[in-house]
Amino acid sequence: MMQVDPFGFFFTLTFTLGACLGGAWWCLRRWSQARHLLDTPTSKIRSAAQGYVELYGVLEALPDLQLRGPLTGKPCLWWRFRIEEYRSSGKKRSWRVIESGASDAWLRLVDGTGECLIDPRGAEIHTAVREVWEGNLRHPLGPAKSGLFGFLTSGQRYRYSEERFHVGQPLYAIGDFRTRGAAQQGFDRHAAQGEVIREWKGDYVGLLRRFDSDGNGELDEQEWNRVRLAAQLEAEDRHRQTASEPARHQMAKPSERQPFILSNSGEDELARNFYWQAAGGAVLCVVGALATAWLLGVQNW
């Protein structure tokens, strides 16, 4: 049997096994996301169903909201940045991320039938605009007065990247879609009544004060009937007030494990890229599996 360094063997085996499992996970994840994109039909904002939907439209500015990229100072609707510092120690040379961040400002998507406000938090975002450059300032616009980006450091190399969404760009969005106000469809009277009753039970003393007509500290069947009737009337009144409000369409991250993606590219291009990435994950998985099998064979030889 060959003499093998146990520590080196274990480290290499862990690496190859991790490559196999990581490649398999990435392959399945990207393949599933591509299928979600292609299997979900594009909806119009005005007629979109409640739940998981796909929208396509144009980005427009929100009133009284003015954003600028933190590294370039260029006006935009959304930004994401990263600052890396070049490190050199002997033969080791690498870029290390020292600052990063992303805007949490909501986006306004318009498609000709209406508009939808999108909360970008938690989304996988692909922008058409991405700038990358280098310099010798920790912050390319100079030292930040607030101290957020630190101070000027001479003799250092920095690499900056900034991604942005701009007014007028196309936007593909897939996520959880909800509507409030006049366009909200349907009214479940029984569910709304139950919600009002649960709310009233939170203040049981107040509930007794309103409906315990005989003052015995309990609600009998007749008194509960009055509670249910009053709750139904309250629920209907709330629904009428909500329905009179203008429609407000919003999209956010789904509660389930469904993709939440915002991109300047259309679904066909995104799906194609995801399939290529899935193929890369499959190749990594196979290579990792073969390497693991080879290592185990060497160990037993």
Side-chain angles (χ1 to χ4, degrees):
M1 179 178 293
M2 292 180 60
Q3 295 296 320
V4 180
D5 176 20
F7 178 78
F9 174 79
F10 177 76
F11 178 80
T12 306
L13 182 63
T14 302
F15 178 79
T16 58
L17 186 59
C20 176
L21 296 178
W25 174 82
W26 186 250
C27 174
L28 293 175
R29 182 173 185 267
R30 281 313 202 194
W31 182 276
S32 175
Q33 288 180 327
R35 293 313 314 166
H36 268 102
L37 267 59
L38 295 177
D39 293 343
T40 305
T42 303
S43 302
K44 294 295 185 181
I45 294 175
R46 179 183 297 171
S47 58
Q50 304 299 288
Y52 193 67
V53 302
E54 173 184 285
L55 303 175
Y56 190 79
V58 176
L59 285 167
E60 291 191 2
L62 284 168
D64 303 324
L65 180 62
Q66 295 181 351
L67 291 181
R68 290 183 177 273
L71 305 187
T72 62
K74 295 180 180 180
C76 60
L77 301 178
W78 178 91
W79 50 259
R80 177 168 59 199
F81 79 92
R82 183 173 63 192
I83 302 176
E84 300 169 280
E85 184 181 30
Y86 184 73
R87 296 292 178 90
S88 177
S89 177
K91 294 184 178 180
K92 294 183 178 180
R93 294 175 175 82
S94 63
W95 290 97
R96 187 176 69 90
V97 177
I98 56 174
E99 298 283 352
S100 64
S103 166
D104 59 2
W106 286 53
L107 298 168
R108 181 188 182 198
L109 176 68
V110 178
D111 71 354
T113 69
E115 65 177 51
C116 177
L117 299 181
I118 302 176
D119 182 355
R121 292 175 297 179
E124 178 179 339
I125 298 180
H126 302 267
T127 64
V129 176
R130 181 174 186 265
E131 297 186 45
V132 180
W133 70 105
E134 295 184 15
N136 59 3
L137 295 176
R138 183 176 176 119
H139 189 276
L141 298 181
K145 294 180 181 180
S146 65
L148 174 63
F149 294 99
F151 51 88
L152 175 63
T153 307
S154 60
Q156 295 292 328
R157 286 177 58 195
Y158 296 95
R159 182 167 65 188
Y160 322 102
S161 64
E162 185 176 277
E163 301 169 84
R164 299 185 302 274
F165 281 143
H166 292 278
V167 173
Q169 286 184 321
L171 184 72
Y172 170 86
I174 185 168
D176 187 61
F177 179 86
R178 300 294 170 186
T179 300
R180 298 291 182 269
Q184 185 176 9
Q185 299 297 320
F187 173 57
D188 188 335
R189 181 174 286 101
H190 180 73
Q193 178 192 49
E195 182 178 348
V196 173
I197 293 176
R198 284 191 295 274
E199 179 184 320
W200 287 352
K201 282 183 176 180
D203 179 18
Y204 195 72
V205 174
L207 188 67
L208 289 175
R209 188 181 304 116
R210 291 180 59 189
F211 298 101
D212 184 17
S213 57
D214 55 14
N216 66 350
E218 297 180 356
L219 296 176
D220 57 29
E221 184 62 28
Q222 183 177 3
E223 291 166 341
W224 269 116
N225 287 335
R226 291 175 53 210
V227 171
R228 283 188 282 269
L229 177 59
Q232 177 182 325
L233 295 175
E234 174 70 15
E236 291 174 349
D237 183 59
R238 292 182 182 182
H239 175 68
R240 282 192 295 271
Q241 292 180 9
T242 302
S244 65
E245 298 174 358
R248 299 188 306 276
H249 307 289
Q250 297 180 354
M251 177 178 283
K253 183 179 180 179
S255 56
E256 300 179 4
R257 293 184 178 181
Q258 296 166 309
F260 179 31
I261 299 174
L262 306 175
S263 173
N264 291 138
S265 303
E267 65 173 326
D268 291 337
E269 183 177 345
L270 280 172
R272 184 165 56 251
N273 290 337
F274 286 174
Y275 278 136
W276 277 111
Q277 293 177 33
V283 171
L284 181 62
C285 176
V286 171
V287 171
L290 293 175
T292 301
W294 181 82
L295 286 172
L296 293 175
V298 169
Q299 174 69 6
N300 295 327
W301 183 66

